[in-house]
Amino acid sequence: MTDPRPSQGPGVIVLAAYRPDPELFRLQLSSIRDQTRTDFRCLIGADGGADDIRRLVLEIVGDDPRFEVLGWDDNRGFYLNFERLLEAVPPEVTWVALSDQDDRWYPTKLETLVPHLDTHDLVTAQARVVAWPSDRVLRATTGRRVVPTRDLLFENQVTGSLSVIRTSLLTAALPFPRLNTVTQLHDHWLAMCAATHGGWTVVDLVVQDYVQHGKNLVGEVSAVNPPWTPSRSLRRWAALADQYEGGHSPTSMLRVGRTLSFGWRKLMLDALTVRTGLTTDVIGPPAAAIQRARHLDDLRVILYGLRSPNIAAGVVATFVAGLPGSFLRSRRASTTTPPGAGTVRFGEPR
């Protein structure tokens, strides 16, 4: 039996919300309400308390029955907030669109993207990048493009807020794999699930404004942030070590470097292998090397990244920074780790 065609069925929009700016939230909800395709429910995940968000939703969309707030008292962050929302998607719907709380969708976004799910598990598009509150255009398009799966593993080309997925993809995607790192991103994980299942594509049309306001958890451009400098990068690295390792000793910073680069990619590959029987050789040598996680393999991964035209130099630099930590981890594992230790869990059963 074939899956139903998403273009002919109803869908769900999942919107992750946490202390939204009222004006930006108003613009986003209004743009969703005014979509030309109307056969959807919008599930709004209120992370860390729902009362204020319910009040805002009522003010913005009134008694529109398509909008529903799901509130949780605990604050779990956007990654696990999206997981909880996707777990709440009814099985009878055929497609899911992901939404941030502070963008602006163009009226035909859903009408444009959903039909492409008839032939792909995930479809994403382009956005115009604008600064808030000036509305200054920072970039006319996000420039997303389809790349080989091995390159997608290195550098994500899928932004969740620009994407729609087939509901059937959730069978492989849930629960989300867990790793204590800032690079743990729901859209990268969904992209890898789609790339190794029913495929993904990019519609080269601008379907929304991607709003940059200086407080974005995952931003698009640095125009609204201070310019990069080595000292600022080092401070950021130390701050991540404080957050995820409880301190910024040299060893802690090495561990964070490895987790940011090799660790997150390996976790995704391990999860896909367990759930789907994926053989990383199908993706290509870089994926197999990341999964084996040996010294020479780590170097091969970096060399591949340097050669690929689809991988930015900054992403390769992240892997270079993670190389000492990867060496330290594998050396300790070979001398001190008992069999079966150090396994990263993929999440609780759905």
Side-chain angles (χ1 to χ4, degrees), residues 32-281:
I32 292 174
R33 178 196 60 201
D34 296 339
Q35 288 292 296
T36 55
R37 177 160 185 159
T38 61
D39 58 339
F40 63 81
R41 290 172 58 199
C42 181
L43 302 180
I44 301 166
D47 202 22
D51 291 345
D52 289 343
I53 290 176
R54 283 198 174 96
R55 175 180 54 78
L56 283 171
V57 171
L58 183 62
E59 290 177 0
I60 298 166
V61 299
D63 59 357
D64 190 325
R66 294 176 298 170
F67 292 82
E68 178 183 354
V69 176
L70 306 179
W72 296 283
D73 291 334
D74 58 324
N75 174 218
R76 303 183 69 182
F78 74 96
Y79 181 75
L80 296 180
N81 194 6
F82 272 114
E83 180 190 53
R84 289 194 290 198
L85 282 166
L86 291 173
E87 288 174 338
V89 170
E92 64 270 15
V93 303
T94 57
W95 57 268
V96 182
L98 288 81
S99 173
D100 289 345
Q101 65 185 15
D102 48 13
D103 296 327
R104 290 192 294 263
W105 289 12
Y106 297 171
T108 58
K109 175 181 176 177
L110 293 177
E111 181 183 337
T112 299
L113 296 185
V114 172
H116 292 272
L117 292 177
D118 290 349
T119 53
H120 298 85
D121 274 354
L122 182 152
V123 57
T124 191
Q126 313 292 358
R128 185 180 69 159
V129 185
V130 299
W132 176 263
S134 68
D135 268 349
R136 179 169 59 95
V137 177
L138 304 175
R139 188 179 293 172
T141 177
T142 41
R144 299 292 182 263
R145 62 193 186 280
V146 175
V147 298
T149 304
R150 57 186 179 272
D151 292 346
L152 181 68
L153 177 66
F154 269 83
E155 183 173 2
N156 187 24
Q157 291 289 333
V158 172
T159 297
S161 62
L162 295 172
S163 304
V164 293
I165 64 173
R166 292 179 68 100
T167 306
S168 57
L169 186 64
L170 299 180
T171 301
L174 293 173
F176 285 177
R178 284 145 164 80
L179 189 64
N180 201 27
T181 175
V182 70
T183 50
Q184 175 178 263
L185 297 173
H186 66 289
D187 44 21
H188 198 182
W189 168 239
L190 291 171
M192 285 301 300
C193 288
T196 54
H197 287 75
W200 65 292
T201 191
V202 175
V203 175
D204 195 23
L205 295 171
V206 174
V207 297
Q208 71 177 66
D209 283 349
Y210 189 11
V211 179
Q212 305 292 291
H213 45 74
K215 297 181 180 178
N216 305 76
L217 287 174
V218 181
E220 177 66 16
V221 294
S222 60
V224 294
N225 296 312
W228 180 89
T229 64
S231 61
R232 184 172 287 114
S233 178
L234 187 60
R235 289 197 297 271
R236 172 62 172 161
W237 195 358
L240 290 173
D242 285 334
Q243 180 178 355
Y244 293 108
E245 295 289 340
H248 52 271
S249 68
T251 300
S252 296
M253 292 180 69
L254 289 177
R255 282 200 297 263
V256 162
R258 182 205 172 270
T259 305
L260 288 172
S261 52
F262 294 96
W264 168 238
R265 276 75 173 188
K266 185 178 187 303
L267 177 64
M268 288 194 291
L269 292 171
D270 287 348
L272 287 169
T273 299
V274 169
R275 295 178 188 186
T276 69
L278 172 74
T279 301
T280 51
D281 290 329

